[in-house]
Amino acid sequence: MPRIAANQKGVTDLFDFEAARQRQQIAPLADRMRPRGLDDFVGQEAILGPGRLLRRAIAADRVGNLILHGPPGVGKTTLARIIAGTTRSHFASLNAVLAGVKELRAEVEAARERLGRHGLRSFLFIDEVHRFNAAQQDALLPWVENGTITLIGATTENPFFEVNKALVSRSRLFRLQPLEPGDLRRLLERALADVEHGYGGRPIQIEADASAHLLDVAGGDARSLLNALELAVETTDPGADGVIRIDLAIAEESIQQRAVLYDKQGDAHFDTISAFIKSLRGSDPDAALFWLARMVEAGENPRFIFRRMLIAAGEDVGLADPQAVVVVEACAAAFERVGLPEGLYPLAQAALYLASTEKSNSVLGFFDALKSVHATSRQEVPSHLRDANRDGKAFGDGVGYRYPHAYAEHWVAQQYLPGALQGEVFWKPGALGWEGGLGAGLQRRRAAQLAAAAEADLEQGILLTTGPEDPALQRWLRRQIGSEGQRLERLRQRFWQGVRWQRQDRCLVLNARSLLWSLDPLDATPEGGVVITVAAEAERGRLEAQLQVLDQLRRPRLLCVPSDQPEALIATLEPGERFEWIVGRSPFQELGPSGLAAWLDRIDELAAPQAQIRLLQSLPLIGPAGALTELVRQRQRSMPRELATLLQQAAAWESGELANGPGADALQQGLEARGWRVAAEQWREPLSVTLSAGLRQRWFSEGASYGRQLSAALGSNSTGRLEQLSADLEGAELAQALQHTLLVAMKKAPGIPGR
């Protein structure tokens, strides 16, 4: 009997294997082409690029509770499967559409047993997690909280709106974006070339305009693109030569219309009505028509839009035009009488009245906006127009919005349309009647808005991730800042003044001697990362000791890199790792012209697109010997002629060294010669230092750079004699001064002089 049971088990395993193989063969192309590892994953560079926190966490198998949020076809489920393939923990998955509390409890019980008996952690991936009701989500919470399971949720809805707040607060959220056209093209080419999973074994030719149509209409959705390709290939007969040829007509039949992503109860609903109301308030009829067209196309209830316009008529127009409420109410009554589609005319008329407040067939501009809804691939609400009432603090929604009532004439130039449509004109007021006098003023406002959008570069990108605060890190940062003293704290604040951080930024701190310049990026870039280079192992050990209390994933990476070997740093970094910020205080101070040139020649290999370099050059205007000379002169102190001569020679040598060092001018010229646009800010800082044993050691000890160079220039006895002189003057106040130069460099835009 045991042998029979074993044989039966073997037969069962064989059938299971064959069934799995058959399912793989008949699976849709989009499923067969899923990446198996991070290196095959396409897109989402802002959160998964080399050096980013999420990539490092997956590689280190230290992924905590995650919620992946984004539109369909951008890689949420694929990313979860990649985590499943790399973790050493048990990985289980549920689909919230099919599973209930019974299945959830079974998975939790199995995870609890694994943890208790074998000490094995368990990941639970829940696809479409927003489909779980409140009771089901509540059932998850205790087990997530006590660590029995680690949750990875995927949702197309805003987790702040659809997911239990307690689960959200215990998870790190990542917002995945629609794929870029270049990413989609890579997927298309991979599907056509892959012999095992794609169509690499079949002769297929796809015309350029056909592939362009597929990429455009897919709208950033990889699944939509691959489904369209599969439909085109499988429904097209080969030619006489056996080749399947896909032209534009076939591509158009395979994918005909771009989907307008819109959820009537979630983010798109609140974000779009927020953008619409803000466009009315901002007196921008073009943007108002666009957002109105998007809501109508997505099936929003026009009565809801009329209600919001009635509120806007009272709140944002008020007594400046008492007829606004009358007009909106009359348009609403007309809409009730004629219905759709003719009711679109009074709907657009009310919006135009509110946006312009003072009649022809110009309302046809609404249909121009409707065409743009169909034709434009990127329709994301600009971050500053999104609804900030629910998750603005976490994802930065609404940040940067300018409240028009706070400005003269209750109007301010800012962007209301999506970036891809900036400058589009949907409404052209006629020359007669009430709207006849609006043309000139409207043109001035449109021109001002275009100028403001170009100058302020408002398309900065939206915040892609958020997570729980780390109180331990905040306490550690406060202690570090407090230990540096007021003078260095002021210097740190000036160094980072005006910086606009992204949470996923990566920062490289060059040749650091303390953690001071790393504190701000450590706090501001939790999903990015900080890399610090030091010149000696002793410095590395000293800084590592200060970082021991931090969680390992939040610690900066400390790399020991000789100050004259930039290639050593590049070889140490992960392939493709680049930095949005390259910073340091006098990192090239001890290098000659050739050493500085070597670093600047490799700087582009370290810089990400749109990277910024911040370098603070702090040069003393007077060195130790010069300060001692001035102190002796003030005190009218007599000394042996030989010592006086030595002091004079040391001051002269020192003055030459200060003048010949790698100053800010050489650094600025070197960056500009390599295509960087550099701004420099200079200021002088007067200092008064007390002569002490510690100061003498910093100047004259055997390992001190100043002492070594002085001995080489004036002989080995010179250092000892000047150290003795400073010991005789111990306790005296030395007057010194530093010349600070802050260089801020950004890469010039190609082909645009001066930018």
Side-chain angles (χ1 to χ4, degrees), residues 46-116:
I47 59 176
L48 274 175
R52 309 282 193 199
L53 176 76
L54 184 55
R55 190 185 189 94
R56 299 201 314 270
I58 293 173
D61 194 10
R62 296 198 59 192
V63 177
N65 298 314
L66 295 181
I67 296 180
L68 306 174
H69 160 219
V74 297
K76 301 185 296 297
T77 303
T78 298
L79 187 54
R81 291 189 180 185
I82 289 173
I83 294 172
T86 57
T87 183
R88 290 182 293 273
S89 305
H90 180 83
F91 194 97
S93 63
L94 293 174
N95 189 304
V97 177
L98 304 174
V101 172
K102 178 182 177 182
E103 291 80 6
L104 188 59
R105 286 177 176 167
E107 289 293 345
V108 169
E109 182 60 29
R112 191 177 64 80
E113 188 171 336
R114 280 189 294 268
L115 187 63

Side-chain angles (χ1 to χ4, degrees), residues 585-586 589 617-622 658 661-664 737-741:
R585 184 183 186 191
S586 303
Q589 190 66 34
Q617 295 290 98
S618 299
L619 294 177
L621 297 175
I622 182 172
L658 290 175
L738 289 178
Q739 177 76 23
H740 296 298
T741 305

Side-chain angles (χ1 to χ4, degrees), residues 34 109 401 423 426 453 481 667 676 683:
R34 286 188 189 274
E109 182 60 29
Y401 168 63
F426 300 117
I481 291 172
L667 189 52
W676 291 81
W683 70 96

Side-chain angles (χ1 to χ4, degrees), residues 556-707:
R557 282 183 287 161
L558 290 172
L559 305 179
C560 187
V561 178
S563 58
D564 58 347
Q565 297 180 23
E567 66 279 359
L569 171 60
I570 294 171
T572 307
L573 296 173
E574 184 179 344
E577 186 170 6
R578 298 293 184 267
F579 299 92
E580 284 71 27
W581 302 91
I582 301 174
V583 305
R585 184 183 186 191
S586 303
F588 313 121
Q589 190 66 34
E590 299 180 2
L591 300 180
S594 60
L596 176 62
W599 269 101
L600 296 183
D601 287 341
R602 307 301 293 269
I603 204 76
D604 282 352
E605 299 178 54
L606 298 168
Q610 300 179 339
Q612 185 176 121
I613 298 174
R614 284 191 167 236
L615 300 174
L616 179 62
Q617 295 290 98
S618 299
L619 294 177
L621 297 175
I622 182 172
L628 287 172
T629 301
E630 181 63 22
L631 180 61
V632 168
R633 187 190 64 78
Q634 290 176 359
R635 293 194 169 190
Q636 299 180 351
R637 180 187 175 101
S638 61
M639 64 178 66
R641 181 183 298 277
E642 185 181 356
L643 181 57
T645 302
L646 174 61
L647 190 59
Q648 185 178 4
Q649 292 173 342
W653 163 82
E654 186 180 78
S655 178
E657 286 296 308
L658 290 175
N660 294 329
D665 290 343
L667 189 52
Q668 180 173 355
Q669 292 166 9
L671 285 169
E672 289 175 341
R674 289 162 177 81
W676 291 81
R677 185 175 72 255
V678 185
E681 178 189 0
Q682 287 190 336
W683 70 96
R684 183 173 295 187
E685 180 184 16
L687 292 176
S688 177
V689 297
T690 303
L691 265 175
S692 63
L695 190 60
R696 289 200 309 275
Q697 185 177 13
R698 206 164 71 227
W699 285 347
F700 302 116
S701 69
E702 188 175 325
S705 173
Y706 178 82

Side-chain angles (χ1 to χ4, degrees), residues 447-523:
Q449 285 177 320
L450 279 175
E455 183 175 340
D457 191 18
L458 286 173
E459 286 294 313
Q460 291 290 324
I462 59 177
L463 198 57
L464 299 181
T465 177
T466 183
E469 295 295 330
D470 187 345
L473 175 66
Q474 296 302 318
R475 290 194 297 271
W476 180 86
L477 287 169
R478 286 195 294 271
R479 285 198 302 270
Q480 291 292 324
I481 291 172
S483 67
E484 296 289 357
Q486 292 184 354
R487 174 183 161 269
L488 287 178
E489 167 64 6
R490 289 194 298 269
L491 201 59
R492 180 190 66 84
Q493 290 178 354
R494 191 159 186 171
F495 182 84
W496 292 114
Q497 187 174 4
V499 164
R500 299 175 66 181
W501 297 104
Q502 298 290 328
R503 288 175 62 94
Q504 64 271 19
D505 283 351
R506 297 158 294 186
C507 182
L508 173 63
V509 184
L510 292 171
N511 202 11
R513 295 167 185 84
S514 78
L515 295 174
L516 179 66
W517 316 108
S518 312
L519 301 180
D520 292 76
L522 273 174
D523 185 32

Side-chain angles (χ1 to χ4, degrees), residues 273-295:
I273 194 65
S274 172
F276 175 61
I277 295 301
K278 288 172 180 173
S279 300
L280 296 179
R281 183 187 298 141
S283 301
D284 189 327
D286 301 315
L289 278 179
F290 177 81
W291 299 121
L292 179 63
R294 181 173 177 178
M295 287 187 289

